[in-house]
Amino acid sequence: MQLQGAIFVLLPHLGPILVWLFTRDHMAGWCEGPRMLSWCPLHKVVLLVQTAIYSVVGYASYLVWKDLGGGLGWPLALPLGLYAVQLTISWAVLVLFFTVHNPGLALLHLLLLYGLVVSTALIWHPINKLAALLLLPYLAWLTVTSALTYHLWRDSLCPVHQPQPTEKSD
């Protein structure tokens, strides 16, 4: 893999790094305590999975770029343009969820993102089958994050569904 490959692998991490740098004071504790779902992965697991998925998706975009001849040009416009849009939406979800604390709006963006990733996989498949297949773990992860976001959104609208604190007996 050349220098361009490393850039493609690292590019998806730019958004989360910038979101964290500018909003880290707004992130702490928002999704903890009674709001925490029992089946929610630990924060460290989320970071590990997100890092792996962003790296794999970045590598997949490199494969598409390389198979289309590299450089810049019209053949790259749709496959990598669609990828750029879904990457931007992915970064926007981080802001909506962790900074704005709006799970409803984040859920809408996640559903849009899901459709964009499916579209990207369908566009990439004729260009590079491996690149399209490398998007499948991302779709699985989006399913998990959408389910978590849906439950947080539902609980914020319907207090009946919110987890109730249990009393500890001595």
Side-chain angles (χ1 to χ4, degrees):
M1 187 166 63
Q2 301 170 339
L3 174 63
Q4 294 95 337
I7 292 169
F8 274 89
V9 170
L10 294 174
L11 178 67
H13 298 284
L14 181 62
I17 290 169
L18 290 174
V19 168
W20 180 80
L21 283 174
F22 291 113
T23 65
R24 64 180 173 251
D25 296 334
H26 300 284
M27 290 183 178
W30 182 68
C31 197
E32 295 173 356
R35 293 183 66 111
M36 183 71 156
L37 301 170
S38 62
W39 50 276
C40 183
L42 298 172
H43 181 69
K44 290 179 183 179
V45 172
V46 170
L47 287 175
L48 181 64
V49 170
Q50 193 75 26
T51 300
I53 285 175
Y54 273 150
S55 297
V56 167
V57 169
Y59 178 68
S61 69
Y62 167 72
L63 293 175
V64 169
W65 175 80
K66 188 176 76 165
D67 284 0
L68 289 175
L72 301 172
W74 283 111
L76 296 166
L78 180 60
L80 293 184
L82 192 58
Y83 169 67
V85 170
Q86 64 99 358
L87 195 57
T88 304
I89 298 293
S90 175
W91 297 344
V93 168
L94 296 173
V95 172
L96 291 170
F97 193 82
F98 291 111
T99 305
V100 179
H101 301 166
N102 188 332
L105 200 51
L107 181 60
L108 288 175
H109 281 74
L110 280 168
L111 296 174
L112 172 64
L113 180 59
Y114 200 92
L116 287 168
V117 174
V118 168
S119 299
T120 303
L122 292 173
I123 298 273
W124 286 6
H125 188 265
I127 300 164
N128 187 303
K129 290 177 183 33
L130 177 59
L133 290 173
L134 288 175
L135 293 178
L136 294 178
Y138 190 25
L139 288 171
W141 182 245
L142 286 175
T143 302
V144 171
T145 56
S146 295
L148 288 168
T149 305
Y150 166 76
H151 282 281
L152 288 169
W153 172 69
R154 183 194 65 184
D155 292 349
S156 69
L157 293 178
C158 306
V160 171
H161 292 292
Q162 289 183 358
Q164 301 299 319
T166 57
E167 293 184 30
K168 294 181 182 181
S169 57
D170 295 318

